[in-house]
Amino acid sequence: MVVNQLASIMPLKLDIIADDQDRTLHYLQKGLVSACASTTKKAITGCKAEFIGYFDYALVASPAFKKTYFQGSHITKQHLLEAPTLLFDQHDKLHADYLKNFFKIDDMNLKFCHIIPSVHGFKQFALRGYAYVLIPYIDIIQELKNKQLINLFPDKMWQMPVYWHTFEIETHAFRLFNELVIKTGRKVLRQSSG
């Protein structure tokens, strides 16, 4: 959405770095980026943070995967630890946080875990039945409607707050870009928790 509107604020050079949302502030602190999305509410010195909204994450699997790994109506802690799953990278704690929060699983000794640093890859692995995946709900609405994916725990959605961090001093073009990101994000993401 934001990319479609960039022509109105050009010239602006983009160099996007994909990393875990809990690590992105590091890039801003080091001056490696001019803005970042983060789960951290507090702004670093010389910067400001704006709340964008909540990303809802759903734990999903294909029907075939569910039939193979999560037989019966009750999915146990053991099922969740033994079935193949995905992490974005070695720093990704979202899956562990989800399991700890909703299932009181502290020991994240996953038996079979793929590392796939791609949101598209996460969706493809889930669709093909290679793993069960914690993925943004907004990215899989159609797949859930078409029953290509099953929300394993519809009552256990992970609500991740997202903040846009930028330097307090901005160029005109960059200010317009930041406003565009925040405005678009607020249209797409849920604005209240619960």
Side-chain angles (χ1 to χ4, degrees):
M1 287 184 165
V2 171
V3 175
N4 296 339
Q5 301 174 52
L6 281 178
S8 65
I9 57 172
M10 287 305 198
L12 186 68
K13 180 186 173 214
L14 293 180
D15 186 0
I16 298 174
I17 300 171
D19 203 341
D20 187 88
Q21 63 276 354
D22 292 332
R23 295 174 40 86
T24 52
L25 274 182
H26 168 77
Y27 292 101
L28 192 61
Q29 285 175 315
K30 298 283 185 188
L32 301 173
V33 297
S34 300
C36 69
S38 174
T39 55
T40 304
K41 180 179 182 176
K42 187 174 188 258
I44 60 175
T45 304
C47 296
K48 57 187 176 181
E50 292 265 352
F51 177 71
I52 297 177
Y54 290 94
F55 251 122
D56 291 328
Y57 279 76
L59 196 64
V60 300
S62 71
F65 186 93
K66 185 174 189 255
K67 186 176 179 182
T68 302
Y69 291 95
F70 302 140
Q71 296 173 1
S73 60
H74 182 68
I75 300 172
T76 67
K77 292 179 182 183
Q78 203 61 36
H79 288 135
L80 295 169
L81 289 171
E82 291 181 359
T85 190
L86 297 179
L87 297 179
F88 190 80
D89 61 23
Q90 67 273 20
H91 305 292
D92 184 2
K93 297 183 304 177
L94 193 57
H95 193 84
D97 290 344
Y98 180 91
L99 293 181
K100 183 175 184 177
N101 183 70
F102 291 116
F103 298 98
K104 309 302 181 228
I105 296 174
D106 286 324
D107 178 21
M108 269 298 290
N109 190 12
L110 297 169
K111 210 169 193 181
F112 199 94
C113 187
H114 302 283
I115 303 287
I116 310 289
S118 159
V119 173
H120 177 73
F122 264 55
K123 188 193 288 191
Q124 291 308 308
F125 260 60
L127 286 168
R128 288 186 165 80
Y130 299 149
Y132 78 102
V133 180
L134 190 59
I135 194 165
Y137 184 82
I138 197 169
D139 291 335
I140 53 170
I141 293 171
Q142 200 58 48
E143 290 79 4
L144 290 168
K145 280 183 186 173
N146 295 341
K147 301 191 185 320
Q148 295 170 279
L149 292 175
I150 297 167
N151 189 345
L152 298 172
F153 302 100
D155 61 329
K156 294 175 172 57
M157 299 286 280
W158 183 262
Q159 300 172 355
M160 184 172 68
V162 179
Y163 299 87
W164 188 248
H165 291 258
T166 62
F167 289 111
E168 289 178 344
I169 300 172
E170 308 164 303
T171 65
H172 176 69
F174 199 67
R175 181 179 52 77
L176 293 175
F177 173 74
N178 290 332
E179 289 171 359
L180 181 61
V181 168
I182 293 166
K183 180 181 172 186
T184 304
R186 287 179 176 163
K187 283 181 186 175
V188 174
L189 299 181
R190 195 168 36 78
Q191 294 302 297
S192 61
S193 65

